Amino acid sequence: MDSTIRPRCDVCYDLNEKAARLAVYGPEGIDGPYGNDQAIKKSVVEGLLFIHVNRDLVRAKASKCVFCALITHVDSSPGPGTHLLRLYADRPPVIDMDSARQRRRFEVYRLTDLTPEPETTSTMLEVSEIPSIQYIPTRPEISNEPLSERAFTFIKRCLETCIQEHSVCKQRPSRPPKRLIYIQDPESSSVKVIKTSLNFNEPYVALSYCWGQGVCLKATKSNIQDMMAGISRANLPSVISDAIQITATLGFRYIWVDSLCIIQDDAQDWDEESSRMCAIYEGAYITIAASSSESADVPLTERHRRHEPIIFEYRQNTSSTSRNHPAPPIARLAAREECSYGFHNEDSARRPDREPLHDRGWTLQEAILSTRVVFFTPTELQWQCQAQQTCECLIPPPIKPDAITTRAHIWERSVGQTGPAPREREIYAAWDRIVERYTERLLTNPDDKLPALSGLAQLVQRSISMPERVENLEVGAEDGNRMQTERKLEYVAGLWTGDLIRGMLWGPRNMTVQLPSSPVRGTTPTTGLISTNNGLDDCSVKPEETSYYRAPSFSWASVDGPVSYRSRNSDLSLEDEAYVETARVVDFWSLPAGVDPYGRLTATTGNPQSRRGSRTGVVLRAPVIEDCAIIWNTSRNMHNSPWTLREIEPLWDTLWLDTSVVERFAVGDASIPRTGQNECEGKLKGVMPQWSVRRWHRERADIDREVEKGVVMGGVSLLMMVQSSQVQRFLLLGISPSDGTAYERLGTVSISRVSGGGDLVRLSKEILSHSDSVELEGIEWTGKGGVVSRMRTVTII
């Protein structure tokens, strides 16, 4: 072995990955020289070794080994146990502390004469011999306070690099926000709201933060004139006051804060300005993101829990140093708990200590749309622009090829492939990931489900509708085809019409999700409904439409909770030669509630004779299996759906309801063909009702008490959406309680084509050849178990 990397300590191997690997590592990993008290394992990650070592061994070596002394000092837990050491080839070593309460990781790095003096005291340790530590990498010091000189030096350095070197971050002139906060004098005790003019071109800062319960001061119709005269900074919430101080220190005089720059009780002003979020954050010179503050009244400084380094200075003890040979220079090492927030731990969506900002629905688009962002996390400052992610600790963020964290990631997908179709497909896939991340987050007002993503929708629309793409799509097109091309680029309740069939195949990530509650009443009334199980004798009340409406049932925006496209993408690959979309989009429409076509939707009183009814909807032509029923899956385990189709063996289908509770109800419109199994004859004014199923709001525990073995819920239909070599995928539909001529989505069904021994729908050559002929209407197919499907044109709302 090379003597320059021979370890002095056979317990910790001097925290040197190369020394440990050359000294003892075998192909499968081996026990070290201390038998079961020490084991060295190679990670699947290149250049990483794990050393598991008994804590008592390390304590015994602490008087002789610099590194064992440091480990013992960092992890001073009493009693027996094991240390886990992570030795890297290209970054500082890490000490893992895994206690009963939490896991903490300490990074060990070297201090030099050029290292800025740490803002903490040091510990002096005496050892018999001090080895070379030059192979231990250095690390920059992290600012002690987010408003300190060191913090501003980091921000200014990142900003300067971005302006001078990043062409992708160059900003185009754009229309300014309607209002901004003006900081006339950084030392002044007041600021004021100003109204901008069309020729305003001064740089401005934007703030991304959590309102929480701390926004006691808001712009309203009654106080906006007073705010334009002046606002005392002492009356501002702490986060906004800190953001103004940061803005002024960085040399800017204008900042945009939503609560003060949008008139909150003016519906028109709110609608207009919220629809411009894309332009506002894209146009901001820099965005301040208050990651640590769960509420506007929590200062940036209060939640900035910096993990202060433990500084170790080493010198030889006097017993091992000759009087004629003075001690060598003192070595300096530091151990600092790893920064585990922000993009260092982006995947931990369910971490209880995740930054509050990343749980708020509005802030996802604020981060992605911003040209430059500085995040004030609990442990450090982090920087993100269109070309770079960096931070004070300089640990590189994990590489995630499919991550969507900036506008550039979306634009790359629009120009990074050849041909319009692949580019468009990449953008739709990016949108899927945005929706998955967005639905993990919370909204104070459920009405904001679509508005809080409106800015990102506008950005994706721009990406899909790039001039060269539209030009390519329209080459040689007839006038009618050109109209279809233009319509292909529309946005309907969170879905894109060019990807509508696949876009409707979202599913709940955690078994089921919930229906939203009314923002006014707190709950949505469910009077007039008929029970799921034994309510067949209770048909005396007409069913009533639930009063709160946010989005059509086929949209992920109609529910609350995380949704996923993963199962769709895993078994419905577009590269599969057998993949075919069996449903055709005949028509679609959207009914915006205001000026923003990407924002809130409305439910109006429509013309019952018109296909375009009172709610946003889509018309599909597809094979439909009617007169189906769902039953409680008595053979289920923890991995199976609680429901299954009566028409097929539970082993071959996967049925997932969107909501945890569904309810049977009587449809009293005699104009609709009866397909249900049970009717209450002559109860509703002589009309023979049709039974169907709808989503419901009750809690899971309520229905668990009611469900009995053998319960059958009929009156549902299966609409076949797609087929691949692996599966056939359906939408599960019920008659709409609000419009008896339309359907609403209840969930999805997958039928395995691999293990089931046959197709539920055996498609004809006409369907497989993508024929759109209206003449196919009414054609029948007989599939597995004699199940009959018919080509039908149906409306889903």
Side-chain angles (χ1 to χ4, degrees):
M1 183 192 302
D2 187 345
S3 60
T4 60
I5 57 172
R6 185 184 301 277
R8 295 173 180 268
C9 177
D10 58 2
V11 171
C12 70
Y13 291 92
D14 299 350
L15 301 184
N16 187 333
E17 183 269 344
K18 188 173 183 180
R21 177 165 45 83
L22 293 179
V24 299
Y25 177 68
E28 302 299 329
I30 65 168
D31 290 336
Y34 295 94
N36 293 334
D37 288 334
Q38 184 190 52
I40 303 175
K41 303 289 184 181
K42 184 178 180 180
S43 168
V44 294
V45 178
E46 187 67 25
L48 170 61
L49 286 180
F50 297 111
I51 299 181
H52 299 264
V53 59
N54 185 288
R55 189 175 287 148
D56 289 335
L57 276 179
V58 177
R59 290 184 185 127
K61 283 279 189 174
S63 62
K64 300 179 180 179
C65 171
V66 166
F67 307 102
C68 286
L70 182 149
I71 296 168
T72 300
H73 196 88
V74 169
D75 186 359
S76 57
S77 305
T82 302
H83 294 294
L84 171 58
L85 311 179
R86 299 171 183 263
L87 308 186
Y88 295 89
D90 57 355
R91 55 169 285 190
V94 172
I95 304 168
D96 258 29
M97 290 176 54
D98 193 1
S99 67
R101 291 178 295 175
Q102 62 178 330
R103 167 166 287 183
R104 303 171 68 190
R105 293 179 179 176
F106 283 81
E107 188 180 47
V108 179
Y109 58 99
R110 175 169 50 93
L111 298 176
T112 68
D113 292 339
L114 299 178
T115 303
E117 192 63 29
E119 300 168 354
T120 185
T121 58
S122 61
T123 299
M124 183 66 71
L125 299 175
E126 290 191 352
V127 293
S128 57
E129 187 176 3
I130 300 178
S132 170
I133 59 173
Q134 296 305 307
Y135 58 87
I136 303 283
T138 60
R139 277 285 186 250
E141 289 303 308
I142 295 175
S143 56
N144 192 34
E145 296 291 342
L147 302 182
S148 67
E149 182 179 350
R150 183 173 289 170
F152 284 112
T153 298
F154 170 79
I155 299 172
K156 291 176 180 178
R157 184 174 66 249
C158 291
L159 188 59
E160 182 179 357
T161 300
C162 181
I163 298 301
Q164 294 180 357
E165 301 179 10
H166 300 163
S167 59
V168 71
C169 297
K170 292 189 182 301
Q171 295 169 287
R172 298 172 298 178
S174 62
R175 174 185 157 196
K178 182 186 291 188
R179 301 177 191 87
L180 289 168
I181 298 172
Y182 176 49
I183 311 168
Q184 185 172 9
D185 181 355
E187 303 301 323
S188 173
S189 61
S190 65
V191 293
K192 64 181 179 179
V193 175
I194 65 160
K195 200 166 185 178
T196 62
S197 61
L198 290 178
N199 60 357
F200 181 91
N201 59 3
E202 293 291 324
Y204 66 90
V205 174
L207 176 63
S208 177
Y209 67 111
C210 294
W211 279 36
Q213 303 300 316
V215 180
C216 53
L217 182 63
K218 307 174 190 176
T220 63
K221 288 185 284 188
S222 62
N223 69 9
I224 187 62
Q225 293 302 320
D226 293 337
M227 288 187 170
M228 295 180 75
I231 309 170
S232 171
R233 291 173 64 171
N235 295 332
L236 292 172
S238 298
V239 162
I240 298 176
S241 179
D242 287 346
I244 288 173
Q245 180 62 45
I246 294 168
T247 299
T249 304
L250 292 175
F252 300 103
R253 291 294 175 264
Y254 298 92
I255 182 171
W256 185 86
V257 181
D258 57 358
S259 60
L260 302 181
C261 296
I262 299 177
I263 301 177
Q264 298 298 318
D265 59 350
D266 186 329
Q268 181 177 350
D269 191 71
W270 190 95
D271 196 34
E272 291 174 353
E273 290 303 285
S274 66
S275 70
R276 297 196 62 245
M277 289 296 183
C278 183
I280 289 173
Y281 280 94
E282 190 175 356
Y285 205 77
I286 187 173
T287 296
I288 297 169
S291 301
S292 306
S293 303
E294 72 271 16
S295 178
D297 58 357
V298 177
L300 284 169
T301 52
E302 185 172 317
R303 286 295 303 273
H304 193 87
R305 300 191 310 271
R306 175 191 172 225
H307 293 187
E308 293 188 352
I310 305 171
I311 307 300
F312 299 93
E313 295 187 343
Y314 296 95
R315 66 183 178 196
Q316 287 182 309
N317 55 40
T318 54
S319 61
S320 59
T321 306
S322 169
R323 292 182 179 179
N324 299 325
H325 298 85
I330 294 176
R332 299 170 71 219
L333 289 175
R336 179 174 62 210
E337 187 168 349
E338 277 191 341
C339 296
S340 57
Y341 291 88
F343 50 63
H344 291 308
N345 218 347
E346 198 173 82
D347 285 336
S348 298
R350 298 168 185 82
R351 264 181 50 170
D353 61 341
R354 192 166 90 134
E355 300 98 307
L357 193 73
H358 300 318
D359 285 329
R360 180 178 175 239
W362 281 94
T363 59
L364 176 65
Q365 71 170 5
E366 293 167 5
I368 295 177
L369 294 172
S370 296
T371 302
R372 308 172 188 92
V373 193
V374 56
F375 295 94
F376 287 75
T377 80
T379 54
E380 63 171 351
L381 301 182
Q382 296 181 352
W383 170 272
Q384 173 181 290
C385 63
Q386 304 303 300
Q388 183 185 31
Q389 280 186 326
T390 188
C391 58
E392 289 187 281
C393 77
L394 288 186
I395 297 177
I399 298 174
K400 300 176 182 176
D402 63 344
I404 306 295
T405 57
T406 66
R407 297 195 319 269
H409 289 150
I410 296 175
W411 284 108
E412 285 167 5
R413 284 158 173 77
S414 68
V415 299
Q417 304 288 338
T418 57
R423 291 198 303 242
E424 199 168 317
R425 187 185 306 164
E426 287 289 320
I427 296 172
Y428 292 141
W431 180 254
D432 292 348
R433 288 188 286 276
I434 289 171
V435 168
E436 290 176 338
R437 288 179 57 194
Y438 174 67
T439 56
E440 294 174 351
R441 299 178 176 221
L442 303 175
L443 292 165
T444 301
N445 185 352
D447 280 344
D448 292 347
K449 192 77 169 186
L450 289 170
L453 208 61
S454 169
L456 278 175
Q458 293 174 50
L459 175 64
V460 171
Q461 174 76 298
R462 265 170 36 205
S463 304
I464 298 173
S465 306
M466 291 171 63
E468 61 269 26
R469 184 190 316 289
V470 175
E471 182 179 348
N472 289 338
L473 288 173
E474 293 187 351
V475 170
E478 301 294 336
D479 289 343
N481 291 336
R482 181 173 292 109
M483 179 189 70
Q484 293 177 5
T485 298
E486 292 171 354
R487 293 213 64 203
K488 182 181 180 183
L489 307 178
E490 291 188 33
Y491 182 75
V492 180
L495 306 176
W496 298 100
T497 53
D499 190 44
L500 195 54
I501 299 301
R502 289 173 63 84
M504 292 170 71
L505 291 174
W506 54 270
R509 184 184 304 173
N510 305 322
M511 300 287 284
T512 57
V513 287
Q514 299 296 322
L515 292 181
S517 297
S518 166
V520 177
R521 288 171 291 279
T523 59
T524 304
T526 55
T527 57
L529 305 181
I530 295 175
S531 176
T532 57
N533 56 340
N534 298 320
L536 299 180
D537 59 347
D538 183 15
C539 302
S540 58
V541 182
K542 285 186 177 181
E544 296 180 1
E545 174 186 353
T546 53
S547 59
Y548 178 58
Y549 175 80
R550 184 171 71 190
S553 63
F554 59 79
S555 168
W556 51 264
S558 66
V559 297
D560 283 335
V563 303
S564 173
Y565 282 105
R566 292 172 190 168
S567 61
R568 181 201 75 172
N569 293 332
S570 62
D571 55 23
L572 295 176
S573 171
L574 294 176
E575 307 303 323
D576 186 343
E577 293 183 358
Y579 174 83
V580 58
E581 293 185 355
T582 53
R584 305 290 182 273
V585 179
V586 176
D587 196 9
F588 54 83
W589 60 92
S590 183
L591 300 176
V595 298
D596 185 5
Y598 307 93
R600 291 173 179 165
L601 300 174
T602 186
T604 63
T605 303
N607 180 0
Q609 304 302 320
S610 171
R611 172 181 290 169
R612 294 193 171 198
S614 61
R615 296 183 172 187
T616 295
V618 61
V619 179
L620 302 181
R621 183 179 298 121
V624 177
I625 305 172
E626 300 175 287
D627 196 14
C628 294
I630 57 176
I631 61 175
W632 190 252
N633 187 357
T634 56
S635 62
R636 66 179 292 236
N637 58 41
M638 63 179 295
H639 302 293
N640 294 338
S641 167
W643 297 94
T644 187
L645 286 171
R646 179 190 59 186
E647 285 70 22
I648 193 170
E649 290 290 332
L651 181 62
W652 311 130
D653 75 55
T654 303
L655 187 157
W656 292 111
L657 295 176
D658 293 338
T659 55
S660 59
V661 181
V662 292
E663 179 170 73
R664 292 186 66 239
F665 72 101
V667 180
D669 189 344
S671 66
I672 301 174
R674 286 167 26 211
T675 60
Q677 294 292 309
N678 303 286
E679 292 98 14
C680 298
E681 298 185 11
K683 290 288 185 78
L684 295 177
K685 295 185 179 179
V687 175
M688 190 74 73
Q690 171 187 345
W691 288 97
S692 192
V693 179
R694 67 188 240 165
R695 297 168 171 178
W696 203 22
H697 295 72
R698 281 201 297 170
E699 296 297 328
R700 176 78 253 170
D702 295 334
I703 196 69
D704 282 342
R705 289 192 293 268
E706 295 181 6
V707 169
E708 296 179 358
K709 182 178 179 180
V711 169
V712 177
M713 300 177 69
V716 299
S717 300
L718 294 177
L719 184 145
M720 187 174 180
M721 299 289 280
V722 297
Q723 173 177 291
S724 72
S725 60
Q726 302 292 316
V727 298
Q728 292 183 330
R729 190 68 65 85
F730 300 79
L731 289 184
L732 182 68
L733 303 175
I735 298 295
S736 170
S738 64
D739 182 350
T741 65
Y743 288 91
E744 291 187 8
R745 168 180 157 144
L746 302 174
T748 59
V749 176
S750 293
I751 306 294
S752 171
R753 303 188 69 204
V754 177
S755 57
D759 294 338
L760 190 59
V761 176
R762 292 197 175 100
L763 297 172
S764 64
K765 293 181 180 179
E766 291 86 353
I767 293 297
L768 292 174
S769 64
H770 284 240
S771 173
D772 283 327
S773 174
V774 179
E775 296 176 359
L776 292 175
E777 187 82 16
I779 288 181
E780 296 184 359
W781 299 269
T782 301
K784 182 187 301 185
V787 174
V788 176
S789 59
R790 298 177 180 85
M791 181 64 75
R792 286 196 54 195
T793 301
V794 301
T795 301
I796 308 174
I797 60 175

